[in-house]
């Protein structure tokens, strides 16, 4: 019989500084998990989703960033949500499951019955309550959130259509395996720690028992990893598939991975459109008379000042202390803190970095292909675009001043 | 009064004569005016042209010929008896200040920082550092641009300055394409500056501002504490009063603020070491031309190194490696049979076996190029692994 007061905890993997070079140049000054999407730090979205689960005891953030990068955020979010949020720094790479195992004592402090494991750079609707109900019904060790294949990737897992059991898992297949992909969201019972330990022990036994010839030693795939390096996908999901231990829960909503700045713009838009249903008071409104004309889903930080003759949207996120001048036009962009967009400037399909300045009648734009290398124009921190200059499909590193127009370029 | 090179003495004899005067109680010691002189080095901003190297350290600390760029200037100033150097900076003061503490002790020279809170241009920083530069002694002070390398004939400049009795002296250098720069038009015999012409469309002269100045304290009265250009506002004023004189810089000159010029500058610098018969240059059958190797670097068998190569501390060059016209920073490992030319390899990077790097390939800090990879002008930002070839010049973020 289930005790109804059983607690749950959530663990969010936030990554580390040298791992995310794909997020440059935005990651030079801010850790990727704190980059704002729809006006809130990236990690805030999974955290607020977790808050909706009943009996949530604690939220843990696990990563390789220095503790001080997260101190302020963690203490302010703990206060705001009235729930303990803690940042745990990994001291060396142990793999996605190894890290979880390393902190097991802290995670199990409140004796939770279930543990949510989420990747910070996943953008989705976080159907955590429904997923937990399904997990309890299945009665297995773990449940993986899955999604029917998005256009350009091959699915990695095969699930039984009736029982929803995970039957087969393979990492980054080159041929068609299925149309289901791993969404990077899991629910586990505490048995997961035993399973991870078994993997380490098995590896150790193998190393001890076999007297490998030099040739065999080179061939053995597990030789490359230290004993406590356990990857969730290859070492847990794959071997435990088909053993009535792991199940799948399918989401029909949007799902994206936020790996590049371009994708962060797309995901910011997805969250903004979600606000229309979950928190419409966060979205801006205006008709061009006493405040600027707002089209579609737009977030404007309360401290930002937007001139009434500017037109903003759709899909625009404006951060703190931004000033948008008269006659400016912003479409599909993220404008970060302290930016000044001067009169009659146009910004389309771009991300404008903290403290930058967009000159009068200048134009910062891109094609809007979220997956292309230069499909979204990115201006790093403190970039000055002078009056009337045009910047198209380019990436500009921090502290540059552009006094000439550029197109299809990376400016160091 | 020494304006032209003294033809009776070779470069090295001239220099050693100067140094012996400095180190004695000879009355000429005071004639050279070496008592308690000060200098300002304009360090400025982010060094974006030297990215990706300047993504890891501030520009003045980027190594050139195995020494931080700014150390070349500080040592030249110390050698002629400057007792205090002020660094005018507007970026990463903490990193600079740590460096300074270390070198203040080692060099026995006082080093302070003057930090701009807003960019003040090329003259404003002088006004900002006014209190540090003026001490009532009326001695002229040097101003150096931190991107410049040259032989720093600062004693000759002092003699020139005292000789003409004007308010300010600047070094000028002859270039092939003066229209890319600001040209200094001057009277041939006295060196008195008539005017500055920015990027002239017709030929007005082939001497440009070399970024080395010797100024009387009265110049500071001409500079307001606001963004000001020394070439566009201050010097033209002094020239109009017939008080600005230019001396042609003897020896080599280079602005090494961007990678291509950095490599060219390395060639000039090593060449000047050769001319001075410096013992620092490497010799042996593995070396061609001018090569500088730090004593802690290790070089394997069958390598061919040079010309114009600098190999920094702790580097490991494995056997069968070919290096030419390149700068290898501290802690780099170049694996067997690799071939690197016209490139800069950043701190603690590795270059794989049989890799080939050329045509201004620049690896930032901690970049690892796999075995057999080819890079034609790849510019790679720090902390990356490169496993596939870069066939044409490209920035890898």
């Amino acid at each position: 019989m289930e005790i109804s007061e059983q607690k749950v905890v959530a663990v969010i993997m936030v990554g580390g500084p040298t791992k995310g070079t794909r997020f440059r140049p935005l990651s030079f000054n801010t850790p990727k998990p704190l980059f704002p999407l729809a006006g809130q730090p990236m990690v805030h979205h999974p955290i607020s989703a977790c808050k909706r689960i009943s009996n949530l005891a604690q939220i843990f953030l696990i990563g390789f960033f220095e503790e001080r990068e997260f101190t302020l955020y963690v203490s302010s979010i703990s206060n705001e949500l009235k729930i303990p949020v803690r940042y745990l720094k990994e001291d060396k790479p142990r793999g996605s499951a190894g890290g979880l195992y390393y902190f097991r004592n802290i995670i199990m402090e409140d004796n939770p019955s279930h543990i949510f494991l989420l990747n910070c750079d996943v953008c989705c609707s976080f159907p955590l309550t429904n997923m937990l109900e399904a997990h309890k019904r299945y009665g297995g060790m773990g449940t993986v959130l899955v999604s029917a294949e998005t256009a350009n990737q091959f699915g990695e897992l095969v699930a039984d259509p009736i029982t929803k059991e995970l039957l087969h898992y393979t990492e980054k297949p080159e041929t068609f395996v299925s149309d289901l992909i791993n969404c990077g969201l899991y629910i586990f019972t505490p048995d997961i720690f035993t399973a991870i330990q078994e993997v380490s022990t098995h590896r150790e036994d193998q190393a001890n028992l076999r007297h490998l010839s030099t040739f065999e030693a080179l061939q053995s795939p597990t030789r490359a990893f230290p004993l406590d390096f356990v990857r969730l996908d290859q070492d847990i999901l794959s071997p435990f598939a088909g053993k009535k231990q792991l199940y799948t829960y399918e989401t029909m909503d949007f799902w994206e991975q936020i790996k590049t700045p371009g994708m962060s713009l797309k995901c910011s838009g997805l969250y903004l459109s979600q606000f229309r249903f979950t928190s419409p008071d966060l979205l801006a409104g205006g008709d061009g008379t006493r405040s600027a004309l707002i089209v579609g889903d737009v977030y404007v930080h309360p401290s930002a000042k937007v001139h009434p003759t500017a037109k903003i949207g759709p899909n625009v996120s404006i951060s703190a202390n931004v000033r948008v001048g008269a006659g400016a036009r912003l479409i599909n962009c993220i404008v970060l803190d302290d930016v000044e967009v001067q009169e009659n400037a146009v910004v389309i399909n771009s991300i404008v970095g903290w403290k930058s300045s967009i000159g009068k009648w200048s134009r910062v734009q891109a094609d809007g292909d979220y997956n292309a290398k230069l499909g979204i124009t990115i201006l790093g921190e403190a970039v000055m675009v002078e009056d009337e200059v045009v910047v198209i499909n380019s990436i500009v590193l921090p502290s540059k001043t552009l006094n000439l127009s550029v197109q299809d370029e990376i400016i160091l | 009064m020494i304006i032209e090179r003294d033809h009776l003495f070779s470069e090295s004899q001239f220099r050693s004569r100067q140094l012996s005067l400095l180190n004695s109680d000879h009355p000429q010691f005071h004639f050279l005016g070496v008592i308690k002189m000060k200098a300002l080095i304009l360090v400025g901003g982010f060094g974006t042209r030297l990215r990706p190297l300047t993504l890891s350290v501030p520009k003045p600390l980027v190594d050139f010929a195995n020494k931080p760029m700014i150390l070349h200037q500080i040592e030249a100033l110390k050698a002629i008896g400057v007792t205090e150097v002020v660094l005018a900076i507007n970026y990463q003061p903490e990193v600079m200040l740590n460096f300074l503490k270390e070198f203040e002790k080692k060099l026995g020279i006082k080093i302070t920082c003057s930090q701009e809170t807003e960019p003040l241009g090329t003259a404003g920083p002088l006004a900002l550092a006014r209190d540090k530069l003026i001490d009532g002694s009326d001695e002229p002070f040097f101003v150096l641009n931190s991107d410049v390398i040259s032989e720093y004939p600062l004693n000759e400049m002092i003699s020139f300055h005292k000789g003409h009795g004007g308010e300010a002296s600047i070094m000028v250098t002859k270039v092939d394409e003066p229209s890319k720069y600001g040209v200094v038009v001057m009277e041939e015999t006295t060196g008195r500056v008539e005017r500055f012409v920015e990027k002239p469309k017709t030929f007005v002269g082939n001497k440009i501002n070399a970024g080395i100045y010797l100024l009387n304290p009265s110049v500071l009265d001409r500079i307001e504490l606001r963004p000001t250009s020394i070439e566009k506002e201050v010097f033209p004023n002094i020239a109009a009063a017939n008080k600005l004189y230019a001396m042609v810089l003897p020896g080599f000159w280079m602005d090494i603020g961007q990678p291509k010029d950095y490599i060219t500058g390395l060639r000039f610098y090593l060449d000047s070491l050769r001319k001075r018969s410096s013992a620092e240059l490497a010799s042996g059958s593995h070396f061609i031309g001018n090569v500088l190797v730090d004593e802690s670097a290790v070089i394997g068998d069958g390598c061919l190194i040079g010309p114009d190569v600098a190999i920094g501390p702790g580097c490991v060059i494995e056997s069968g490696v070919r290096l030419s016209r390149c700068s290898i920073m501290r802690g780099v490992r170049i694996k067997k049979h690799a071939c690197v030319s016209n490139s800069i390899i950043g701190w603690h990077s590795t270059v794989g076996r049989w890799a080939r790097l050329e045509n201004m390939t620049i690896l930032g800090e901690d970049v690892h190029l796999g075995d057999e990879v080819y890079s034609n002008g790849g510019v790679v930002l720090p902390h990356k692994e490169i496993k596939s070839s870069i066939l044409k010049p490209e920035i890898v973020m």
Side-chain angles (χ1 to χ4, degrees):
Chain A
M1 173 135 25
E2 205 167 274
I3 307 164
S4 60
E5 286 310 309
Q6 275 291 302
K7 297 181 183 157
V8 301
V9 295
V11 176
I12 305 177
M13 311 290 272
V14 299
T18 51
K19 289 168 189 293
T21 66
R22 288 169 70 185
F23 208 66
R24 290 171 168 170
L26 299 175
S27 54
F28 281 134
N29 300 82
T30 298
K32 185 171 121 180
L34 298 181
F35 183 81
L37 304 178
Q40 300 285 0
M42 191 183 296
V43 74
H44 185 90
H45 298 275
I47 288 181
S48 7
C50 290
K51 180 76 174 90
R52 296 199 296 266
I53 311 165
S54 40
N55 298 326
L56 182 72
Q58 285 198 66
I59 301 177
F60 300 98
L61 307 183
I62 297 184
F64 293 92
F65 293 98
E66 293 301 317
E67 269 124 344
R68 60 184 149 79
E69 308 246 40
F70 279 88
T71 323
L72 273 176
Y73 176 74
V74 155
S75 80
S76 93
I77 196 72
S78 296
N79 272 334
E80 187 188 319
L81 298 182
K82 306 273 182 287
I83 206 172
V85 178
R86 288 169 66 177
Y87 176 74
L88 304 172
K89 178 181 185 304
E90 290 192 75
D91 55 352
K92 63 171 183 148
R94 291 193 176 79
S96 39
L100 188 70
Y101 183 78
Y102 180 70
F103 288 115
R104 66 192 178 287
N105 292 326
I106 302 177
I107 294 170
M108 293 300 295
E109 251 170 26
D110 294 297
N111 224 350
S113 60
H114 296 89
I115 301 138
F116 285 84
L117 180 65
L118 305 88
N119 278 304
C120 175
D121 59 1
V122 159
C123 166
C124 66
S125 61
F126 298 106
L128 302 177
T129 310
N130 290 345
M131 191 176 165
L132 182 59
E133 274 170 28
H135 172 80
K136 288 178 181 169
R137 279 201 313 273
Y138 302 142
M141 174 178 72
T143 301
V144 186
L145 187 72
V146 299
S147 169
E149 177 196 348
T150 53
N152 49 9
Q153 18 187 37
F154 287 127
E156 304 156 314
L157 24 77
V158 179
D160 184 299
I162 318 274
T163 66
K164 305 296 179 194
E165 190 200 338
L166 178 66
L167 297 176
H168 182 74
Y169 182 91
T170 179
E171 177 79 356
K172 292 186 176 64
E174 287 173 21
T175 57
F176 181 81
V177 170
S178 77
D179 61 358
L180 288 180
I181 51 167
N182 178 354
C183 290
L185 236 85
Y186 314 85
I187 298 180
F188 293 114
T189 56
D191 303 337
I192 184 65
F193 295 118
T194 320
I196 298 172
Q197 187 175 40
E198 271 175 26
V199 173
S200 295
T201 318
H202 180 62
R203 216 179 257 163
E204 191 177 349
D205 289 344
Q206 276 204 314
N208 289 339
L209 281 174
R210 293 161 63 183
H211 296 290
L212 298 166
S213 69
T214 325
F215 184 72
E216 280 175 349
L218 286 171
Q219 298 289 328
S220 168
T222 55
R223 277 276 290 166
F225 296 108
L227 295 176
D228 59 356
F229 192 95
V230 182
R231 300 153 297 172
L232 193 59
D233 298 345
Q234 296 94 319
D235 299 325
I236 305 287
L237 297 185
S238 198
F240 280 86
K243 297 190 173 139
K244 299 218 174 348
Q245 295 259 43
L246 297 175
Y247 290 83
T248 61
Y249 179 76
E250 189 174 344
T251 172
M252 304 306 205
D253 294 333
F254 62 94
W255 181 86
E256 299 286 351
Q257 264 190 310
I258 313 158
K259 293 293 188 199
T260 60
M263 282 310 293
S264 73
L265 180 57
K266 180 175 184 186
C267 294
S268 184
L270 290 171
Y271 283 136
L272 284 175
S273 59
Q274 205 189 24
F275 281 169
R276 207 157 273 290
F277 304 107
T278 59
S279 356
D281 48 299
L282 282 180
L283 292 178
D287 59 3
T289 52
R290 285 172 55 216
S291 58
L293 177 61
I294 306 288
V295 177
D297 303 322
V298 170
Y299 169 80
V300 181
H301 191 276
S303 65
K305 291 185 172 22
V306 181
H307 197 275
T309 57
K311 185 170 171 186
I312 315 289
N315 183 23
V316 173
S317 176
I318 296 179
S319 296
N321 296 318
V322 167
R323 291 175 313 291
V324 179
R329 182 78 180 93
L330 304 182
I331 304 175
N332 197 32
C333 54
I334 296 177
V335 180
L336 295 167
D337 300 40
D338 302 304
V339 164
E340 186 184 5
V341 179
Q342 296 185 48
E343 291 77 46
N344 306 309
V346 176
V347 180
I348 305 177
N349 296 330
S350 304
I351 299 180
V352 181
W354 310 259
K355 304 191 181 74
S356 292
S357 162
I358 311 289
K360 303 183 192 23
W361 288 284
S362 66
R363 210 175 158 96
V364 175
Q365 68 176 63
D367 293 339
D369 180 349
Y370 298 115
N371 294 308
K373 187 161 125 173
L374 296 177
I376 301 287
T377 288
I378 319 276
L379 305 185
E381 187 182 13
V383 168
M384 308 289 142
V385 177
E386 292 194 351
D387 295 347
E388 295 167 55
V389 163
V390 177
V391 182
I392 303 182
N393 293 341
S394 295
I395 297 178
V396 184
L397 258 62
S399 309
K400 293 297 293 189
T401 297
L402 299 180
N403 46 26
L404 290 176
S405 296
V406 293
Q407 193 168 160
D408 299 310
E409 259 191 78
I410 300 178
I411 315 269
L412 281 192
Chain B
M1 192 187 303
I2 306 159
I3 301 176
E4 300 289 355
R5 173 128 326 287
D6 185 341
H7 293 293
L8 289 177
F9 295 88
S10 73
E11 169 91 59
S12 55
Q13 283 171 308
F14 190 84
R15 192 167 293 275
S16 63
R17 189 165 75 121
Q18 297 283 342
L19 283 172
S20 71
L21 287 172
L22 282 174
N23 292 331
S24 72
D25 286 310
H26 194 288
Q28 282 212 315
F29 182 86
H30 300 295
F31 166 73
L32 289 170
V34 172
I35 308 163
K36 283 192 157 230
M37 280 192 77
K38 300 189 191 202
L40 178 83
I41 304 185
L42 292 167
V43 170
F46 303 97
T48 61
R49 289 179 304 157
L50 264 185
R51 284 172 171 167
L53 301 173
T54 46
L55 291 174
S56 299
V57 299
K59 186 180 56 167
L61 299 186
V62 171
D63 302 273
F64 176 79
N66 297 347
K67 236 191 279 201
M69 272 167 61
I70 203 168
L71 202 58
H72 290 268
Q73 288 145 353
I74 296 181
E75 284 178 353
L77 291 166
K78 162 83 178 159
I80 58 142
V82 166
T83 53
E84 185 177 340
V85 175
V86 181
L87 305 186
I89 59 178
N90 62 22
Y91 178 60
Q92 284 191 324
E94 322 83 45
V95 183
M96 288 303 298
L97 288 169
N98 282 337
F99 157 84
L100 301 182
K101 285 206 196 77
E102 200 191 313
F103 282 98
E104 249 186 338
K105 284 205 196 96
K106 271 194 209 159
L107 294 173
I109 187 173
K110 185 171 169 201
I111 309 178
T112 54
C113 279
S114 168
Q115 195 194 349
E116 298 166 36
T117 44
E118 47 149 358
L120 290 174
T122 46
L126 276 71
L128 186 66
R130 187 193 177 95
D131 295 333
K132 296 191 165 91
L133 294 168
I134 295 190
D135 60 2
S137 71
D138 236 21
E139 285 294 320
F141 58 91
F142 283 103
V143 176
L144 305 187
N145 184 311
S146 70
D147 286 354
V148 163
I149 48 143
S150 76
E151 282 168 19
Y152 289 109
L154 302 176
N155 276 323
E156 289 93 310
M157 195 176 190
I158 295 174
S159 311
F160 172 74
H161 184 79
K162 293 215 170 339
H164 64 64
E167 199 182 359
S169 301
I170 62 173
M171 286 284 200
V172 293
T173 183
K174 187 168 142 196
V175 292
D176 292 332
E177 292 183 65
S179 301
K180 295 201 300 194
Y181 306 89
V183 175
V184 180
V185 181
M186 57 203 246
E187 229 183 51
E188 283 303 307
T189 44
T190 59
R192 187 178 59 80
V193 174
E194 291 170 15
R195 64 188 198 282
F196 281 78
V197 185
E198 199 58 31
K199 295 189 179 45
K201 296 200 169 54
T202 57
F203 184 86
V204 296
N206 58 7
K207 311 283 192 305
I208 61 157
N209 180 358
I212 301 169
Y213 320 136
L214 184 54
L215 311 176
N216 285 352
S218 56
V219 170
L220 291 173
D221 299 331
R222 296 178 185 269
I223 309 177
E224 286 170 26
L225 183 51
R226 60 174 175 82
T228 321
S229 161
I230 208 166
E231 277 188 330
K232 297 197 179 116
E233 298 174 60
V234 181
F235 282 158
N237 282 345
I238 309 179
N242 291 330
K243 292 192 177 162
L244 177 65
Y245 289 78
M247 173 180 163
V248 178
L249 177 70
F252 71 95
W253 178 89
M254 201 74 212
D255 174 341
I256 55 170
Q258 52 191 2
K260 193 163 65 72
D261 295 335
Y262 178 108
I263 294 290
T264 311
L266 185 60
R267 175 161 61 87
F268 288 157
Y269 178 85
L270 295 179
D271 189 55
S272 83
L273 283 186
R274 172 73 61 192
K275 289 204 178 95
R276 288 193 260 141
S277 311
S278 170
E280 287 175 66
L281 291 174
S283 56
S285 56
H286 292 316
F287 301 103
I288 297 181
N290 303 325
V291 175
L292 198 62
V293 182
D294 186 273
E295 53 190 17
S296 62
V298 171
I299 300 184
D301 302 322
C303 291
L304 191 55
I305 318 271
D308 305 322
V309 174
I311 299 177
C315 287
V316 177
I317 314 296
E318 293 183 6
S319 49
V321 166
R322 174 87 183 93
L323 302 178
S324 63
R325 295 180 189 84
C326 54
S327 178
I328 315 291
M329 305 280 192
R330 166 190 299 272
V332 165
R333 173 180 287 268
I334 313 255
K335 293 191 179 170
K336 295 183 187 173
H337 318 296
C339 178
V340 179
S341 69
N342 283 304
S343 300
I344 303 176
I345 313 298
W347 311 266
H348 307 293
S349 292
T350 56
V351 172
R353 284 172 291 186
W354 291 284
R356 189 183 172 95
L357 280 59
E358 57 190 23
N359 194 20
M360 289 319 303
T361 288
I362 315 207
L363 305 188
E365 181 189 8
D366 185 41
V367 169
H368 305 278
L369 227 76
D371 293 346
E372 295 134 25
V373 165
Y374 169 66
S375 166
N376 173 15
V379 175
V380 186
L381 265 63
H383 311 298
K384 299 284 301 177
E385 249 186 69
I386 305 292
K387 299 200 179 112
S388 48
S389 292
I390 302 169
L391 299 175
K392 50 186 175 54
E394 188 186 317
I395 295 174
V396 180
M397 286 216 293

